[in-house]
Amino acid sequence: MMGPSAYLILSGILFAIGAIGVVARKNALIILMSVELMLNGVNVAFVAVGSYMGDPTGGIFAFMVMTVAAAEAAVGLSILIAIYRLKETIDITELSVLKW
Amino acid sequence: MEPILFTLFGAIAVGGALLVVTRKNPMSAALSLIMSLFAVAALFVLRQAHFLAAIQVIVYAGAVVVLFIFVIMLINVPENRLPIEKPTVYRLLGVVAAGLLMIEGGLASRNFSAPATAVGEVGSVEAVGHALFTDYLFAFEVTSVLLLAAVVGATVLAKKKI
């Protein structure tokens, strides 16, 4: 029988790798994928803690996070398609219209 | 048995995540993302969360990543027009931020210990469905509004002229 700390540490590693991707990459598609990785890392923590506490609430939270992730991917990718039509690029450093 | 399987699938999940962040080609990154998500589904099975493992495979690998691959093929950026990824200060800052997150998480979960009660079948379809349609019914219904908003938003954004 393992303790929950291993799952929490794994969840932290997945979240941190996703955070590196969001900050360091320039390809907007890969940034969106890294956001999915971060949400997925959080799900690992929810499921592990929920199952160790014997409470289905953790699973419900993970379920809601998955719904939000799917909605976010759909809207984010359609924004990306609209940007690509206008600017012919997915490089976030070139998309600086709103930058002061 | 659990530690061995946890190490195996945890390593696959972390390896897939690292590949997502490091690949230049978005298609390789999307396929690595599938690998990572499948390994996380296996971890859910290890924690007896069978329903969530199935949902993970169907919704993430079956819908979200397919959407990503669809968009990659639709906009089809040529190899020489992909963003040039040079080592910048942002990369260093990203690694520092990730390290700080890890340290914070380690400190926060250091003293976490689960009660020694026997773990029931909290992740089965029956348990999740019961919780979802009694205690969390309102949240479940609000989720449908969220999905409707996402569908309308995606349709409007995908129009020829915004």
Side-chain angles (χ1 to χ4, degrees):
Chain A
M1 191 68 186
M2 292 169 64
S5 348
Y7 286 93
L8 292 178
I9 290 168
L10 178 74
S11 147
I13 293 174
L14 287 176
F15 189 90
I17 293 174
I20 294 179
V22 170
V23 177
R25 295 298 302 255
K26 287 182 189 162
N27 190 331
L29 273 165
I30 293 190
I31 290 177
L32 280 175
M33 284 183 214
S34 304
V35 173
E36 299 293 326
L37 268 182
M38 289 169 82
L39 291 168
N40 209 48
V42 174
N43 270 352
V44 174
F46 274 136
V47 169
V49 173
S51 101
Y52 276 107
M53 307 281 273
D55 189 344
T57 310
I60 304 290
F61 264 87
F63 182 78
M64 297 297 168
V65 170
M66 280 182 196
T67 320
V68 172
E72 173 255 315
V75 176
L77 286 172
S78 51
I79 290 175
L80 198 62
I81 291 179
I83 289 174
Y84 190 72
R85 277 206 193 119
L86 275 173
K87 297 257 180 182
E88 296 272 309
T89 182
I90 51 169
D91 187 340
I92 54 152
T93 50
E94 289 177 32
L95 305 171
S96 51
V97 192
L98 287 180
K99 225 178 191 173
W100 183 59
Chain B
M1 196 59 186
E2 198 189 345
I4 301 168
L5 289 174
F6 172 81
T7 314
L8 175 67
F9 289 117
I12 295 176
V14 171
L18 283 173
L19 284 176
V20 172
V21 178
T22 51
R23 289 305 89 187
K24 183 171 164 51
N25 189 331
M27 188 59 93
S28 343
L31 295 178
S32 314
L33 183 61
I34 293 185
M35 181 168 94
S36 183
L37 296 176
F38 260 94
V40 170
L43 290 174
F44 287 177
V45 173
L46 274 186
R47 279 323 316 156
Q48 317 293 327
H50 301 117
F51 173 71
L52 278 167
I55 293 292
Q56 168 98 356
V57 172
I58 294 169
V59 172
Y60 263 120
V64 172
V65 181
V66 168
L67 196 63
F68 270 107
I69 291 176
F70 189 79
V71 169
I72 292 168
M73 289 179 163
L74 183 70
I75 64 180
N76 194 17
V77 185
E79 190 82 33
N80 55 354
R81 298 213 28 225
L82 284 175
I84 303 148
E85 310 266 358
K86 282 183 306 219
T88 53
V89 67
Y90 292 109
R91 192 171 290 185
L92 184 70
L93 285 177
V95 174
V96 170
L100 284 176
L101 274 174
M102 281 302 300
I103 293 167
E104 250 180 70
L107 286 177
S109 63
R110 187 183 37 172
N111 292 324
F112 181 84
S113 60
T117 50
V119 176
E121 278 284 295
V122 290
S124 65
V125 181
E126 191 187 346
V128 174
H130 189 267
L132 201 55
F133 288 104
T134 53
D135 296 346
Y136 301 99
L137 185 62
F138 181 69
F140 181 74
E141 296 294 341
V142 170
T143 300
S144 64
V145 180
L146 170 75
L147 287 175
L148 180 68
V151 168
V152 174
T155 315
V156 170
L157 284 169
K159 274 187 179 171
K160 270 253 147 44
K161 255 190 181 314
I162 302 173

